[in-house]
Amino acid sequence: MGETEATLPNMSLQGKKMAYQKVNADQRAPGHSQYLDNDDLQATALDLEWDMEKELEESGFDQFQLDSAENQNLGHSETIDLDLDSIQPATSPKGRFQRLQEESDYITHYTRSAPKSNRCNFCHLLKILCIATSLFIFGIFIGYYVHTNCPSDTPSSGTVDPQLYQEILKTIQAEDIKKSFRNLVQLYKSEDDMEISKKIKTQWTSLGLEDVQFVNYSVLLNLPDPSPSTVTLSSSGQCFHPNGQPCSEEARKDSSQDLLYSYAAYSAKGILKAEVIDVSYGMADDLKRIRKIKNVTNQIALLKLGKLPLLYKLSLLEKAGFGGVLLYIDPCDLPKTVNPSHDTFMVSLNPGGDPSTPGYPSVDGSFRQSRSNLTSLLVQPISASLVAKLISSPKARTKNDACSPLELPNNEVRVVSMQVQTVKKLKTVTNVVGYVMGLTSPDRYIIVGSHHHTAHSYNGQEWASSTAIITAFIRALMSKVKRGWRPDRTIVFCSWGGTAFGNIGSYEWGEDFKKVLQKNVVAYISIHSPLRGNSSLHPVASPSLQQLVVEKNNFNCTRRAQCPETNISSIQIQGDADYFINHLGVPIVQFAYEDIKALEGPSFLSEALFSTRATKIEEMDPSFNLHETITKLSGEVILQIANEPVLPFNAIDIALEVQNNLKGDQPNTHQLLAMASRLRESAELFQSDEMRPANDPKERASNRIRMLNDILQDMEKSFLVKQAPPGFYRNILYHLDEKTSRFSILVEAWEHCKPLASNETLQEALSEVLNSINSAQVYFKAGLDVFRSVLDGKN
């Protein structure tokens, strides 16, 4: 569908419910009436009837439980009803769209018995025997020729064969992933990332990946100054480094690397002496309360990381008039097993891409803007131990093991002098890109992305974990490709550079190839930091892909002893999927293991990148079985999207997600609810009228399938808004966290308009959401109109 817009007739759907009609009992093949009249066969035919009304009413949207077709208890609903209590999800896409093919038991070819005759003679039988023998010998020669020229064990591309997927995935072994991981970890100590990039390119090429290339960009990086930043207490004159240690030559020598990498990339730099004001998590309510009792102009905010995106909270502080920010992680927000008292960390204030070329790629000849900092605030990450010294507080955890959050008493005044020092440099960021060319639709891309270590950033091991996983899948895939099989669509494998500084490598590549990617990218599979814990699998997926993830996750669950319920959500995530979600509207999937505590606590703690407390991957997953699980789950999703004739995306689930986002008692949503109801109706019609016949091999036509897939891959583009608050996704289908199932930009706007009778920000946000829903509804109607025109033209 691309970027082209067209004026389309406003056709009324007139509340129609499209469903396939019953098989006409009179349309029977001659000579088969006794079999078609059979009671069992009639029951089977009735079972094949498909009613959209029933299919759309199933229980538990938040649970996404996949039940077998035999146990489903379906009810009725009216799509034009605005009662949101009835909004529930659909289930398996195959159960909803794909026609059951006639079983071989019910398809028999009958030949009438020839009447017995005594006139059959020996010559006639001999002639038949000779002809049969000749054909048999001729068939042997043909079979031999075909066997010697075509691999006998390779199904043709385009055949939907789950066994094919399992044949590829069964070669993935945990031991191979562990070996690859250990080899990669040994490389990150290099001063730049070129050695790692070369290693990845060499390995991918040796596995058979096609046309593996370096894609380099010269970008502006904000690096720490050779002298570390400091915080000085005015009352005592004590000077501290960000980790809480006193400013001394010995401390600098002992942990110089850690001190240097405790900084905020793209912060303003300089010296600020001011009062420290505790703003807690920096929520809008916190700032309203504080501004009533104190003058915050050019003061220093003591800010906790978490609960909301950092960029959003910094924008509120900047707007309020603060001059600096001391950023930290409260120990009470972390598991008891983690002791972050002296840990220092890095954050990036870059929303994405090269800051000197915003919105366009850093290629030769591009104009570079002079932007050394992206905020007027001086921002310095500090450890929890330094915060305790600033507020004169004892340890956060008391004797009874209850956690006391760090707080600066309102009646106490602390004045500090903070010095932030950084330098800006042009550096080369390298992406490694290779692909497997598709057979029938080579111009449709499934992008699989991980990141590698970037010089001048944190020294964690997460990148080695993600790179080992993506390499393991490439090895398994190419072993099949070498035997003659290919996926229908092209799979592009990317290892991104510059991720720690604001996903720079992926943004620049995306901006460089934007026109091609807008038209051709089908989905993005993220392998970003797959192991953040070991207690719970935490999949994230676009609404259109959630049911596919449910299907794969439940299948994997049957192979394990313990199968806890897994909540699959559409939430904001860290990593290089950002550009594809927010600028291209591409559906994404990501599997990752988390700690349950991390899922229950404040979100956005992962914005902190630690230099000393690097995640010990082998301690969390010594057998690498979790790595193997993520590789196989991700791999099966990749294979199904790359090889299914019809993309396994669900239009109706997007409409259901929109309606669920409008639940609650928010004001001014009547128009939104009415538009969401029309969107759901259009999605139902599209899903029933177009998707189901396309899944029936007997009714497939190549041009019809192509048009349908073009519509499916662009469904989420309608929900990209022009403007969103800093740190919020432009794709409004994604929530800030699992606990809030409402449009994030509306939640934020409502918070701002509480004291006011009317608010321009709220009206703009409501308009953005309304236009998105309307655009999606028109998009589905246009798809229906196109297909109807094609069918009318044939008739």
Side-chain angles (χ1 to χ4, degrees):
M1 308 302 289
E3 298 176 293
T4 305
E5 296 182 1
T7 303
L8 299 168
N10 184 16
M11 299 182 65
S12 173
L13 297 177
Q14 300 177 355
K16 294 182 181 179
K17 296 180 183 290
M18 304 296 292
Y20 278 77
Q21 297 179 354
K22 297 180 181 180
V23 178
N24 191 335
D26 294 331
Q27 295 177 350
R28 301 171 180 173
H32 290 70
S33 60
Q34 60 177 330
Y35 298 98
L36 288 176
D37 289 336
N38 182 278
D39 291 339
D40 293 337
L41 184 54
Q42 287 184 357
T44 303
L46 290 175
D47 288 341
L48 296 181
E49 292 174 17
W50 180 82
D51 188 341
M52 194 68 199
E53 255 184 293
K54 294 182 180 180
E55 294 269 351
L56 289 168
E57 297 302 319
E58 296 155 9
S59 62
F61 180 77
D62 294 329
Q63 295 178 5
F64 273 96
Q65 290 183 346
L66 187 67
D67 297 329
S68 63
E70 297 83 21
N71 295 328
Q72 289 177 354
N73 185 14
L74 307 179
H76 293 271
S77 72
E78 293 295 326
T79 59
I80 60 174
D81 188 4
L82 295 184
D83 181 8
L84 294 182
D85 291 335
S86 65
I87 300 173
Q88 295 167 357
T91 52
S92 168
K94 288 180 180 279
R96 189 152 14 98
F97 314 130
Q98 190 168 21
R99 278 188 177 178
L100 297 175
Q101 299 189 27
E102 294 175 309
E103 297 183 13
S104 57
D105 293 341
Y106 296 111
I107 301 177
T108 53
H109 300 278
Y110 298 96
T111 55
R112 297 195 177 190
S113 300
K116 294 182 180 181
S117 173
N118 295 325
R119 289 179 291 178
C120 292
N121 56 64
F122 178 78
C123 293
H124 183 67
L125 292 175
L126 185 60
K127 184 185 296 184
I128 293 174
L129 182 62
C130 292
I131 293 172
T133 303
S134 301
L135 291 174
F136 177 73
I137 295 173
F138 183 64
I140 290 176
F141 281 111
I142 293 176
Y144 176 79
Y145 176 79
V146 171
H147 179 78
T148 55
N149 286 276
C150 301
S152 59
D153 61 340
T154 305
S156 61
S157 182
T159 302
V160 181
D161 183 7
Q163 286 300 116
L164 168 66
Y165 304 156
Q166 296 310 312
E167 183 181 341
I168 294 173
L169 299 175
K170 71 181 181 182
T171 62
I172 296 171
Q173 300 296 326
E175 196 60 37
D176 294 333
I177 301 175
K178 180 191 286 189
K179 182 179 179 181
S180 178
F181 170 83
R182 288 178 172 175
N183 290 336
L184 290 166
V185 166
Q186 299 302 316
L187 298 172
Y188 81 82
K189 298 177 182 178
S190 172
E191 284 300 318
D192 58 47
D193 62 351
M194 184 51 67
E195 183 180 348
I196 292 174
S197 300
K198 288 179 178 177
K199 175 71 174 180
I200 294 171
K201 180 182 177 182
T202 300
Q203 190 169 23
W204 288 7
T205 303
S206 66
L207 294 174
L209 210 57
E210 299 166 18
D211 197 21
V212 184
Q213 296 181 355
F214 290 145
V215 186
N216 298 324
Y217 298 97
S218 180
V219 301
L220 182 69
L221 298 184
N222 192 234
L223 307 175
D225 191 85
S227 299
S229 299
T230 59
V231 178
T232 303
L233 276 172
S234 296
S235 58
S236 63
Q238 288 180 293
C239 175
F240 297 97
H241 290 305
N243 63 355
Q245 295 182 1
C247 300
S248 63
E249 289 297 324
E250 291 77 11
R252 289 179 59 181
K253 290 179 181 178
D254 291 342
S255 56
S256 59
Q257 188 78 0
D258 301 338
L259 296 177
L260 292 181
Y261 289 114
S262 178
Y263 81 110
Y266 306 104
S267 162
K269 63 180 182 178
I271 300 175
L272 175 63
K273 183 177 181 179
E275 180 184 350
V276 176
I277 299 177
D278 191 344
V279 298
S280 188
Y281 292 99
M283 313 280 276
D285 290 340
D286 295 328
L287 297 183
K288 289 176 186 176
R289 172 180 51 82
I290 292 167
R291 294 179 71 180
K292 288 180 180 179
I293 59 177
K294 287 193 176 184
N295 178 16
V296 301
T297 303
N298 216 34
Q299 305 298 344
I300 297 173
L302 183 64
L303 176 67
K304 294 181 184 181
L305 192 67
K307 289 197 175 180
L308 284 173
L310 176 60
L311 293 184
Y312 175 66
K313 297 194 290 188
L314 293 180
S315 71
L316 295 180
L317 294 173
E318 190 173 16
K319 188 176 181 180
F322 281 91
V325 177
L326 294 175
L327 180 67
Y328 74 102
I329 296 177
D330 196 308
C332 295
D333 292 337
L334 295 172
K336 296 178 182 179
T337 55
V338 177
N339 180 16
S341 298
H342 298 282
D343 288 351
T344 55
F345 58 93
M346 168 194 172
V347 293
S348 175
L349 310 185
N350 180 11
D354 179 4
S356 67
T357 59
Y360 54 94
S362 298
V363 296
D364 292 342
S366 294
F367 171 71
R368 293 190 179 276
Q369 300 182 18
S370 179
R371 304 177 72 191
S372 59
N373 55 278
L374 300 179
T375 177
S376 63
L377 296 169
L378 275 71
V379 182
Q380 177 59 54
I382 60 175
S383 66
S385 61
L386 178 53
V387 175
K389 293 176 182 178
L390 294 179
I391 66 177
S392 302
S393 170
K395 292 183 179 180
R397 299 191 188 276
T398 59
K399 293 182 179 179
N400 61 0
D401 212 26
C403 191
S404 300
L406 295 173
E407 292 179 352
L408 177 64
N410 290 331
N411 58 349
E412 296 187 15
V413 177
R414 298 285 187 276
V415 177
V416 303
S417 177
M418 60 183 296
Q419 182 180 30
V420 176
Q421 302 187 101
T422 58
V423 295
K424 59 179 182 179
K425 288 184 179 180
L426 284 175
K427 293 285 185 179
T428 298
V429 165
T430 301
N431 299 325
V432 185
V433 180
Y435 60 86
V436 177
M437 184 70 76
L439 186 62
T440 60
S441 299
D443 61 335
R444 292 295 181 261
Y445 312 143
I446 291 85
I447 298 181
V448 186
S450 66
H451 68 287
H452 55 259
H453 173 70
T454 300
H456 310 289
S457 68
Y458 72 109
N459 295 330
Q461 297 180 343
E462 292 88 347
W463 70 270
S465 185
S466 62
T467 304
I469 283 176
I470 201 171
T471 302
F473 177 70
I474 292 173
R475 180 182 291 108
L477 180 69
M478 296 313 297
S479 66
K480 191 68 174 176
V481 171
K482 290 175 182 177
R483 299 202 301 271
W485 175 86
R486 279 186 179 274
D488 280 353
R489 302 175 185 92
T490 297
I491 306 176
V492 183
F493 296 94
C494 304
S495 182
W496 308 113
T499 297
F501 291 94
N503 306 315
I504 291 182
S506 56
Y507 258 78
E508 293 308 303
W509 188 79
E511 291 169 349
D512 199 1
F513 297 96
K514 184 175 181 178
K515 295 297 182 182
V516 176
L517 298 176
Q518 281 179 326
K519 181 181 178 181
N520 295 343
V521 174
V522 171
Y524 184 93
I525 312 301
S526 173
I527 318 289
H528 180 81
S529 297
L531 224 68
R532 304 159 204 162
N534 56 9
S535 60
S536 177
L537 182 64
H538 186 226
V540 174
S542 300
S544 59
L545 278 171
Q546 285 188 6
Q547 292 209 32
L548 176 63
V549 174
V550 169
E551 186 179 284
K552 300 310 163 195
N553 185 61
N554 283 3
F555 176 73
N556 174 70
C557 184
T558 60
R559 295 176 290 186
R560 296 181 299 174
Q562 296 181 344
C563 298
E565 282 188 12
T566 301
N567 180 37
I568 300 170
S569 55
S570 300
I571 60 168
Q572 293 193 192
I573 57 176
Q574 299 297 310
D576 295 285
D578 186 278
Y579 183 83
F580 299 90
I581 295 171
N582 289 303
H583 295 270
L584 301 178
V586 173
I588 67 104
V589 171
Q590 175 181 278
F591 293 96
Y593 274 94
E594 300 255 17
D595 283 325
I596 293 177
K597 170 65 179 177
L599 296 176
E600 294 173 349
S603 57
F604 299 99
L605 291 179
S606 58
E607 291 181 315
L609 306 176
F610 288 91
S611 58
T612 56
R613 187 167 54 86
T615 305
K616 301 299 183 182
I617 299 295
E618 293 203 55
E619 291 180 8
M620 289 192 298
D621 187 21
S623 63
F624 275 67
N625 288 331
L626 302 183
H627 284 76
E628 181 182 321
T629 297
I630 290 176
T631 309
K632 290 184 175 180
L633 284 171
S634 302
E636 193 161 7
V637 169
I638 295 166
L639 289 170
Q640 192 156 344
I641 297 175
N643 210 53
E644 294 285 332
V646 178
L647 291 171
F649 299 169
N650 300 315
I652 189 62
D653 286 346
I654 293 179
L656 292 169
E657 180 77 7
V658 169
Q659 286 189 310
N660 278 280
N661 281 339
L662 295 173
K663 282 183 176 180
D665 56 354
Q666 298 100 340
N668 306 320
T669 57
H670 180 74
Q671 283 185 313
L672 295 177
L673 290 170
M675 184 64 70
S677 180
R678 291 197 289 273
L679 171 63
R680 177 172 172 174
E681 184 180 74
S682 297
E684 288 175 5
L685 286 168
F686 175 81
Q687 196 109 358
S688 62
D689 202 25
E690 305 306 332
M691 296 272 301
R692 182 173 169 179
N695 275 283
D696 185 350
K698 294 181 179 179
E699 298 185 30
R700 285 181 194 156
S702 58
N703 61 338
R704 182 187 183 93
I705 296 298
R706 184 62 183 238
M707 287 193 301
L708 175 59
N709 284 333
D710 286 348
I711 293 172
L712 291 173
Q713 77 177 49
D714 287 345
M715 288 190 299
E716 295 191 14
K717 288 182 171 61
S718 297
F719 297 95
L720 296 180
V721 298
K722 293 181 180 179
Q723 196 71 30
F728 282 55
Y729 271 9
R730 285 182 55 217
N731 189 326
I732 61 174
L733 292 175
Y734 291 78
H735 308 140
L736 287 177
D737 55 53
E738 294 92 338
K739 302 177 185 64
T740 307
S741 59
R742 293 184 291 173
F743 287 115
S744 297
I745 62 172
L746 291 185
V747 174
E748 191 271 341
W750 278 315
E751 290 296 318
H752 277 280
C753 79
K754 280 180 180 178
L756 306 173
S758 62
N759 183 281
E760 186 177 341
T761 302
L762 174 60
Q763 296 305 317
E764 289 178 357
L766 287 168
S767 179
E768 290 271 24
V769 174
L770 179 67
N771 290 334
S772 295
I773 299 173
N774 180 64
S775 176
Q777 192 255 346
V778 170
Y779 184 74
F780 287 132
K781 284 181 62 179
L784 283 167
D785 293 342
V786 168
F787 282 111
R788 286 168 181 164
S789 300
V790 171
L791 292 176
D792 291 343
K794 289 182 178 180
N795 296 333

